[in-house]
Amino acid sequence: MLATQTALKLADYVVTEAASVPTRREKFVDIKCRKSGLRPSIVVIVATIRALKYHGGVDLKQINEENLGALEKGIANLERHVNNVTQQYGLPAWCR
């Protein structure tokens, strides 16, 4: 948090990567932000087609092949992440 607080003295906006793993996001918001008194203004979720297919169950060896079923399952996973951010933390989520 020291780096974030220092950056806020030098700039109007600071971007912090908290990782996509839910436990890391929870640690960042629930522990680091609460302890420092800072609160994120927005959460940016970055998702690629390859990542969506992977989280939809495609093996990495077939990740470059078209698989709309896995993509649908991956999108459901992405929707769950967006819902967690908006409902659990009350933060706006922007998907890119």
Side-chain angles (χ1 to χ4, degrees):
M1 291 315 297
L2 182 62
T4 302
Q5 291 169 331
T6 302
L8 283 169
K9 292 178 183 176
L10 302 171
D12 294 330
Y13 302 98
V14 176
V15 177
T16 302
E17 182 182 2
S20 61
V21 181
T23 54
R24 290 187 189 160
R25 181 179 57 236
E26 291 166 5
K27 179 180 177 183
F28 179 78
V29 175
D30 291 339
I31 298 171
K32 288 185 176 184
C33 290
R34 186 168 32 100
K35 187 165 177 90
S36 69
L38 297 173
R39 177 148 172 88
S41 299
I42 191 168
V43 174
V44 177
I45 300 173
V46 179
T48 64
I49 297 297
R50 289 170 54 100
L52 292 172
K53 289 194 296 188
Y54 179 74
H55 290 288
V58 171
D59 186 76
L60 285 176
K61 293 175 185 167
Q62 287 88 34
I63 204 78
N64 291 324
E65 298 172 15
E66 184 176 307
N67 189 328
L68 297 179
L71 188 58
E72 267 186 57
K73 291 177 185 175
I75 289 173
N77 182 52
L78 175 61
E79 288 172 341
R80 192 167 46 251
H81 282 288
V82 171
N83 188 50
N84 287 342
V85 167
T86 57
Q87 302 302 312
Q88 276 188 306
Y89 298 110
L91 295 169
W94 186 60
C95 294
R96 182 77 179 152

